[in-house]
Amino acid sequence: MSWTPAVPDQAGAPPSDGSTVAADRAGAALSDPSTVAADRAGEALSDGSVATAVSAPGVAGGPDRSTVRLALVVGGLVLAVLLGFGLGRLNGGTNDYGGTGLGGTTGGAAATPDHTHPAGTGAHDHGSVTGADQGAAAEPGGLSVSSGGYTLVPLATEFPAGRTGQLRFQVRDAQRRPVTRFAVVHDKPMHVIVVRRDLTGYQHLHPTMTPDGIWSVPMTLPQPGVWRAYADFTVVADNGGQSAVTLGVDLVVPGAYQPRPLPAPATSTTVDGFTVGYQGSPQAGVTVPLTFRIDGPSGGAALERYLGAYGHLVALREGDLGYLHVHPEPELADGQVKFWLTIPSPGRYRLYLDFQVATKVHTAELTLTIP
């Protein structure tokens, strides 16, 4: 009597070693290698498993010629993707914090979404795009307490109205370690802007840092309400690369909050005996020049450099308090300060212009409406 071995049921469950899947893919390669190659390239991008996947045997006894061809195709695709990614990183956007960024002296630059001027050009903004990117305005900075792998950690968020206290905070990296290396940007390693949620009480402060990365600066918040503090800085990485970051956090002053209405739009105002006006027509998503003229009682004011520039312009968007910090052309034009401003969206904005005359800093405020 003869005995015939049983044939396994091909429709049964796949073996635990996954050889059925490998065989299916090998079969697919014979019928349409391009499809499988595309699938495997996609897997390489998502989980990095392509090297293992293509080396798995398509049939018992080792890979056939079709599987080898498939491996070569997939390898070429992956190599092209990796080369493209590397070139993109090498040629990506650089910022003008190269060195110390805003008027600094050290070398190097790192890609950052809101800083795209070449080093040393002077005029630039934080939180918006530049003239090279007209029509593609990015969101302003300061909308988040954490961004780009860095987090703003205040040591206290409640302050008494009208009494001087200390604003103290750390900047921490993605591993929650205090950051202690910052580039000097327009004469300072850290710029802090504070304003109440109704866009009143603007202050531009410059804290100092202890060796353990704690920044502190005296601060007086005169009125109750919710205030917004922005930390505007440039981190220096271990490899010398630099990243410009703006983070924001809310501060609270207990008491009866009486918000003030935003003043009507205007192109000129007076402050401390100076008349400040601008020419230009800001538009959403388009970089346009904005030229400020400052006049004293007897004519054009003798402007002095403040933090390395003849003026500093902060624009805050009503509602979410999105933050733009713009610096001007390095030299005056007919005694006027020229900025290049990109407004990211329609809405109402409050403009704050810092300028210095006779060693004293003044701040002019104007409301801007973008239809």
Side-chain angles (χ1 to χ4, degrees), residues 14-73:
S16 58
D17 64 1
S19 60
T20 296
V21 176
D24 290 344
R25 283 181 175 164
L30 294 176
S31 61
D32 189 358
S34 61
T35 301
V36 177
D39 290 342
R40 305 309 297 146
E43 292 176 18
L45 292 176
S46 63
D47 63 13
S49 63
V50 66
T52 301
V54 298
S55 62
V59 294
D64 60 15
R65 185 168 300 179
S66 298
T67 304
V68 173
R69 286 199 298 269
L70 171 60
L72 293 175
V73 171

Side-chain angles (χ1 to χ4, degrees), residues 141-145 152 154 156-157 159 167-169 190-197 203 205 217 219 221 226-233 246-252 316 321 323:
L143 294 173
S144 174
V145 73
L152 178 63
T157 58
F159 296 85
L167 175 63
R168 303 174 71 232
F169 62 90
M190 178 69 69
H191 296 259
V192 171
I193 303 297
V194 181
V195 68
R196 199 167 69 161
R197 278 276 171 182
Q203 300 178 50
L205 309 174
V217 63
M219 180 185 68
L221 302 181
V226 178
W227 295 69
R228 188 71 171 173
Y230 303 91
D232 186 344
F233 56 91
T246 302
L247 302 176
V249 66
D250 281 346
L251 309 175
V252 178
L316 298 178
L321 272 64
Y323 171 94

Side-chain angles (χ1 to χ4, degrees), residues 134-212:
Q134 292 188 20
E139 277 301 293
L143 294 173
S144 174
V145 73
S146 183
S147 179
Y150 299 99
T151 301
L152 178 63
V153 182
L155 275 64
T157 58
E158 184 174 308
F159 296 85
R163 290 168 51 189
T164 299
Q166 287 284 328
L167 175 63
R168 303 174 71 232
F169 62 90
Q170 280 184 326
V171 176
R172 296 180 185 171
D173 63 16
Q175 288 74 43
R176 302 295 292 171
R177 299 172 302 190
V179 178
T180 58
R181 297 185 65 196
F182 297 83
V184 173
V185 174
H186 267 275
D187 297 343
K188 299 292 181 180
M190 178 69 69
H191 296 259
V192 171
I193 303 297
V194 181
V195 68
R196 199 167 69 161
R197 278 276 171 182
D198 61 357
L199 300 176
T200 64
Y202 169 90
Q203 300 178 50
H204 186 165
L205 309 174
H206 301 106
T208 57
M209 188 187 73
T210 59
D212 58 354

Side-chain angles (χ1 to χ4, degrees), residues 30 67 81 156 165 194 232 239 257 273 281 324 341 343 348:
L30 294 176
T67 304
V81 170
V194 181
D232 186 344
N239 63 3
Y257 173 43
S281 301
L324 305 171
L341 177 64
I343 294 294
R348 294 203 297 176

Side-chain angles (χ1 to χ4, degrees), residues 272-328:
D272 303 330
F274 295 94
T275 300
V276 180
Y278 73 83
Q279 292 182 327
S281 301
Q283 304 174 50
V286 180
T287 302
V288 299
L290 212 62
T291 304
F292 282 84
R293 179 178 179 85
I294 297 99
D295 289 315
S298 57
L303 297 176
E304 300 168 348
R305 291 186 184 273
Y306 167 58
L307 300 175
Y310 284 109
H312 295 267
L313 180 65
V314 168
L316 298 178
R317 183 168 61 188
E318 184 186 36
D320 62 1
L321 272 64
Y323 171 94
L324 305 171
H325 187 181
V326 192
H327 294 96

